[in-house]
Amino acid sequence: MPADSPALDDAIATLPLATPDMPLLDVIGLMLESPEGSERGAAVGGCAIAIAESKLVGMFTERDVVRWSAKGLDFQRTTLAQVMGAPVEAVRRSQLGDLFGVLALMRDRPIRYLPVVEEDGTVLGAIALETIRQILQPCYLFKVRSVAQAIAETPSTAPPNTSILELTRIMADRPTEYVVICDRLEHLDRPARPLPVGIVTERDILRLQHLQWDLRSTRADRVMSAPLIGIHPDESLWSAHERMQQHRIRHLTVTGDRGELLGVLTQSQLLQGFDPQTIYETMQQLGEQLEGERSERRRLEAELHKIAIQEQELGELKSRFTSMVTHEFRNPLTTILYSTQLLETFGHRATEEKKRSYLLRIRRTAQYMNQLIEDLLVIGGSDEAKLEFNPKPLDLEEVCQDLIEQQHLSDGGRNPISFEIEGDRDRVCMDEKLLRYIFTNLLANACKYSPKGMPVEFHIACEDERAIFYLSDRGIGIPPEECDRLFDPFYRATNVGNIPGTGLGLSMVKRCVESHYGTIAVESEMGVGTRFIVTLPLSGISEVDPQTPSVAVEQNSLERKPS
């Protein structure tokens, strides 16, 4: 302990002792009695220690009296055990450091009374903020700090006709140790300011409960402490310290030039001005500020790293986009130019059937390019309206059969498609446009990436208010390390070879599934095949957890059959 630090033994005050079975009114009576010859005992007289076999089992304070008064407790029919809270944590005498360490401990918990026991658990007493203030003489610091620098909180106030019961509720809710009783001071040039005329403290509530007064019918102006001991905000904390010592009080009202209430100075606020504690808090604040700056720097570094990754991904996306546009637009344009040249050069000699085939090729190619532009607009967010969700009743089997027929017409029946649907689909309500886009893409991919003649299976199970679509092929499969990127715009697996494609289809499928409040999963094995599993609500209303990912990827699981 520092040489100039007062002895902590001088701060330990004897407290009234009570047993858990003692009537609560008797306990309050003990709290109002000061131990003989102990000035410090009066400072902590608003507290009693509950013991059993000389050991500490609990504490009961003025704050507890206020809290239970606000709840309307009948103090006459209650014992200490019935209101005593959880066991309190005491400090052993040998564990006490210097006085400023004790102050920091009481502030951290936060508590106003710190019980002290011997090594064997025998209760010695308690240290209170008031006992600390009584033995300290911090004149060198208190004389240079003003009252205005110490007060911070806005005081609780009430008019003189307020009931004591209401005051206990104010103290319990805030919580605060006091309520200042105020009239209004009128000014011609500014709004009225409160004029303090008295104060009601926790100690006053303690006395009234001991006297068994009716708190509901007792007015504040009947029992308040008056006149008030006040202080001006420009006065020093040393003046405030001496005034508290002289009048043996724990609060000073801070008033302005016209007597208006500016605040209340309490013991805890006064003790916050001690130089060692101020230094400790300042260092702590500087440390927190430095750590905050370090955290901010780490956050900025992470943001810069994220931006760098995004720029790299954007560069890759730009490269893929350029490659896709170059390939996917050049080929159909070449087809259109070639067909128009044939018509222009040999049209007068070509048969009508040949001319129609040329025109049909031009139309299909133009439609393909138009669809490609539409996909790019949607992916780019320029056409959000195209993904509006408009569910309507539909015949699910008829729509899917039509999609299969269109696929056969598109590729000339290159791959046989087996179709099966089971379960109750009488009340299907879905967005047909989104549905067609999803399975037009998935059916086309299943056929495109499968050898000619290999079958494609399309199975639907309607169960538990949802439709589960299983679409399986026996194609080239997807490399396991690339499955996670399968739904990225413009991304195509490295094993597609010369098979044409834009890398937009599955990205659009994912968006359509999400717009339909559904999920999509993929299972794939290289050289064996791929299965897509799409789950959509039958009613058009989402029952999917918003936290559930809309995409799942699994490998080596094609042996599982639809259930």
Side-chain angles (χ1 to χ4, degrees):
M1 184 170 61
D4 58 347
S5 178
L8 273 175
D9 283 347
D10 294 336
I12 301 175
T14 304
L15 284 178
L17 304 178
T19 58
D21 59 351
M22 185 177 290
L24 202 54
L25 281 180
D26 292 346
V27 177
I28 292 176
L30 291 176
M31 293 165 65
L32 291 170
E33 296 176 3
S34 300
E36 288 188 25
S38 173
E39 181 181 351
R40 288 193 301 277
V44 290
C47 175
I49 288 183
I51 61 170
E53 298 180 356
S54 301
K55 307 301 180 184
L56 174 69
V57 294
M59 295 184 69
F60 191 70
T61 68
E62 292 173 342
R63 165 59 47 188
D64 297 317
V65 174
V66 170
R67 184 164 54 89
W68 286 107
S69 296
K71 294 180 179 180
L73 178 72
D74 186 350
F75 282 72
Q76 298 183 57
R77 296 180 174 85
T78 307
T79 64
L80 179 57
Q82 292 175 280
V83 296
M84 198 166 56
V88 295
E89 185 178 351
V91 62
R92 297 185 182 277
R93 187 177 189 177
S94 60
Q95 295 175 333
L96 292 175
D98 61 70
L99 205 55
F100 302 115
V102 172
L103 269 175
L105 176 64
M106 296 176 69
R107 183 174 303 170
D108 289 343
R109 287 194 177 180
I111 53 176
R112 280 187 279 169
Y113 306 98
L114 179 64
V116 182
V117 298
E118 291 283 14
E119 293 301 314
D120 62 358
T122 303
V123 178
L124 279 176
I127 297 175
L129 295 177
E130 175 64 10
T131 61
I132 294 175
R133 187 183 62 81
Q134 286 177 358
I135 65 173
L136 286 174
Q137 298 295 322
C139 59
Y140 65 94
L141 177 64
F142 279 7
K143 287 181 178 179
V144 298
R145 288 174 59 84
S146 69
V147 170
Q149 291 176 288
I151 59 173
E153 63 178 13
T154 302
S156 299
T157 62
N161 61 352
T162 306
S163 72
I164 299 300
L165 181 61
E166 182 60 30
L167 294 186
T168 64
R169 291 169 179 164
I170 294 174
M171 293 184 195
D173 290 343
R174 189 155 180 178
T176 181
E177 307 170 22
Y178 61 84
V179 176
V180 182
I181 308 305
C182 296
D183 278 338
R184 292 290 168 180
L185 179 65
E186 299 291 341
H187 290 289
L188 295 177
D189 55 343
R190 58 180 181 270
R193 298 290 301 272
L195 177 66
V197 295
I199 190 170
V200 176
T201 66
E202 289 177 341
R203 180 61 60 87
D204 296 321
I205 306 299
L206 194 71
R207 293 192 182 99
L208 292 175
Q209 284 290 9
H210 184 246
L211 296 172
Q212 301 182 41
W213 282 35
D214 183 358
L215 304 188
R216 188 181 302 275
S217 61
T218 303
R219 290 168 41 128
D221 54 5
R222 184 179 175 189
V223 297
M224 67 184 183
S225 300
L228 290 173
I229 308 299
I231 194 166
H232 194 273
D234 293 337
E235 293 188 62
S236 68
L237 290 180
W238 179 250
S239 298
H241 168 72
E242 288 187 315
R243 212 160 298 176
M244 286 184 180
Q245 289 277 66
Q246 177 185 355
H247 296 280
R248 295 190 180 184
I249 56 177
R250 297 186 290 185
H251 312 84
L252 287 175
T253 52
V254 183
T255 54
D257 295 332
R258 301 189 182 184
E260 70 275 18
L261 180 66
L262 301 179
V264 174
L265 182 67
T266 65
Q267 292 172 7
S268 58
Q269 292 168 334
L270 189 67
L271 289 172
Q272 286 174 3
F274 284 119
D275 189 48
Q277 189 66 17
T278 303
I279 293 174
Y280 170 77
E281 288 184 351
T282 302
M283 292 177 64
Q284 190 177 39
Q285 289 173 1
L286 289 174
E288 291 174 355
Q289 181 180 350
L290 180 60
E291 181 59 33
E293 291 174 354
R294 288 174 179 169
S295 298
E296 180 65 15
R297 184 174 63 188
R298 288 193 293 266
R299 187 189 67 79
L300 291 175
E301 289 174 352
E303 285 291 330
L304 289 174
H305 180 66
K306 183 179 179 181
I307 290 173
I309 293 176
Q310 289 175 342
E311 288 180 348
Q312 181 180 355
E313 291 176 348
L314 186 61
E316 294 176 358
L317 185 65
K318 181 180 178 182
S319 176
R320 294 200 302 269
F321 176 76
T322 302
S323 176
M324 184 275 297
V325 169
T326 302
H327 182 272
E328 295 300 325
F329 277 88
R330 178 179 292 167
N331 286 348
L333 283 173
T334 300
T335 300
I336 292 174
L337 288 173
Y338 178 71
S339 298
T340 54
Q341 287 174 358
L342 287 175
L343 284 172
E344 190 176 28
T345 304
F346 303 106
H348 62 285
R349 290 185 295 175
T351 64
E352 290 299 319
E353 182 178 354
K354 198 68 174 178
K355 290 179 183 179
R356 281 196 299 271
S357 67
Y358 289 150
L359 291 173
L360 181 60
R361 184 185 304 170
I362 292 172
R363 186 175 67 182
R364 286 178 176 174
T365 306
Q367 288 174 342
Y368 169 80
M369 294 181 68
N370 181 68
Q371 184 60 50
L372 182 60
I373 292 172
E374 292 289 326
D375 291 347
L376 288 172
L377 288 174
V378 175
I379 287 291
S382 303
D383 200 0
E384 294 291 341
K386 289 186 178 297
L387 288 182
E388 287 183 355
F389 179 52
N390 297 308
K392 294 179 181 179
L394 55 82
D395 187 326
L396 185 59
E397 183 174 1
E398 181 181 330
V399 171
C400 292
Q401 291 282 15
D402 185 54
L403 290 172
I404 293 171
E405 184 178 345
Q406 288 183 23
Q407 179 60 36
H408 283 319
L409 291 173
S410 174
D411 63 6
R414 183 175 180 274
N415 299 87
I417 302 174
S418 62
F419 176 70
E420 181 183 359
I421 185 169
E422 59 183 7
D424 182 12
R425 61 258 192 199
D426 293 336
R427 293 177 296 176
V428 177
C429 184
M430 295 183 179
D431 188 312
E432 184 174 347
K433 181 179 179 180
L434 296 182
L435 197 68
R436 286 183 174 275
Y437 195 99
I438 293 169
F439 293 105
T440 296
N441 275 271
L442 294 181
L443 281 169
N445 283 348
C447 295
K448 181 166 63 173
Y449 294 109
S450 296
K452 184 176 181 180
M454 293 299 291
V456 171
E457 298 176 0
F458 191 11
H459 178 93
I460 305 174
C462 299
E463 56 184 36
D464 299 330
E465 299 300 324
R466 61 182 183 169
I468 307 175
F469 301 80
Y470 300 90
L471 191 58
S472 306
D473 65 53
R474 300 179 188 177
I476 61 176
I478 303 164
E481 66 276 6
E482 299 182 29
C483 284
D484 288 339
R485 303 191 62 186
L486 198 61
F487 297 91
D488 291 350
F490 308 114
Y491 186 82
R492 302 191 72 208
T494 55
N495 64 329
V496 296
N498 295 323
I499 301 175
T502 64
L504 288 175
L506 288 179
S507 176
M508 284 296 303
V509 165
K510 175 176 176 288
R511 291 189 59 180
C512 290
V513 169
E514 290 173 342
S515 296
H516 215 294
Y517 302 102
T519 61
I520 182 170
V522 58
E523 303 170 349
S524 187
E525 187 175 349
M526 290 286 290
V528 176
T530 301
R531 177 165 64 181
F532 284 89
I533 304 171
V534 178
T535 304
L536 302 177
L538 282 173
S539 62
I541 300 175
S542 173
E543 294 184 358
V544 179
D545 187 339
Q547 300 299 321
T548 302
S550 61
V551 176
V553 177
E554 298 181 28
Q555 290 85 37
N556 303 323
S557 55
L558 296 180
E559 67 276 4
R560 293 197 300 271
K561 299 299 181 182
S563 56

